[in-house]
Amino acid sequence: MPLPKLRIYNRQKAHAIPLPWLRRIGKAALPGCLAALKSPDAPLASLEEIEITIVDDADIARVHADFLDDPTPTDVITFHHGEILISADTALRQGTEHGQTVDHEVALYLVHGLMHLAGWDDHEPEEAREMAQRQEAILKEALKSV
């Protein structure tokens, strides 16, 4: 199965996110995410391209309100057609809380979005724990390879 092409865009100005590095992380994480498919019909199994856009809290809050009826900022929003939105502002806040850089946190959110495309859901505590463990392992391996 060929890997989807990753297109990464930075639509926010407050944080300098190294897009070539992030693209390498995403490419390195794709095989692990594909190996973790929850079902053969998960979106990641058939996507030819995935668009990742780094935005600010205001933009992600607007999308969160429009599509999920929640007007607050969030870390990641994933659409099954292959679009992932990541908030750099939230990454900075949560990264600081967890002792991580904004770059590391954005890379984690990218893997998190890929796991959603692989069919994982984090609404139930048990699946959220397993998803978090798998995405951490995938990110760790991806970081070793770049």
Side-chain angles (χ1 to χ4, degrees):
M1 162 180 357
L3 296 178
K5 181 181 254 181
L6 299 180
R7 302 227 182 258
I8 303 180
Y9 304 97
N10 187 5
R11 299 284 187 247
Q12 56 82 48
K13 293 180 174 46
H15 312 287
I17 307 296
L19 297 187
W21 174 82
L22 189 60
R23 186 173 293 107
R24 289 192 305 274
I25 294 293
K27 284 182 181 181
L30 274 170
C33 293
L34 283 164
L37 284 178
K38 286 285 279 190
S39 72
D41 61 340
L44 189 59
S46 60
L47 289 170
E48 293 179 14
E49 183 174 288
I50 300 168
E51 181 178 299
I52 300 109
T53 306
I54 314 297
V55 298
D56 60 22
D57 271 355
D59 286 338
I60 209 160
R62 218 174 358 266
V63 174
H64 205 202
D66 289 349
F67 290 93
L68 299 167
D69 279 336
D70 183 344
T72 63
T74 188
D75 49 6
V76 182
I77 297 176
T78 304
F79 294 98
H80 285 172
H81 63 267
E83 183 178 6
I84 300 171
L85 299 178
I86 296 172
S87 171
D89 294 336
T90 298
L92 178 63
R93 268 194 322 280
Q94 290 183 357
T96 300
E97 289 173 16
H98 298 112
Q100 297 293 341
T101 66
V102 65
D103 297 347
H104 181 277
E105 200 73 8
V106 166
L108 176 64
Y109 297 171
L110 171 56
V111 174
H112 186 81
L114 292 172
M115 291 294 286
H116 278 305
L117 291 174
W120 288 84
D121 192 357
D122 53 2
H123 296 294
E124 298 298 322
E126 174 102 9
E127 187 171 355
R129 272 191 300 279
E130 187 177 350
M131 181 181 178
Q133 289 172 345
R134 286 178 182 249
Q135 73 191 20
E136 287 288 344
I138 291 167
L139 178 59
K140 185 177 179 180
E141 284 303 309
L143 288 167
K144 280 186 202 175
S145 70
V146 295

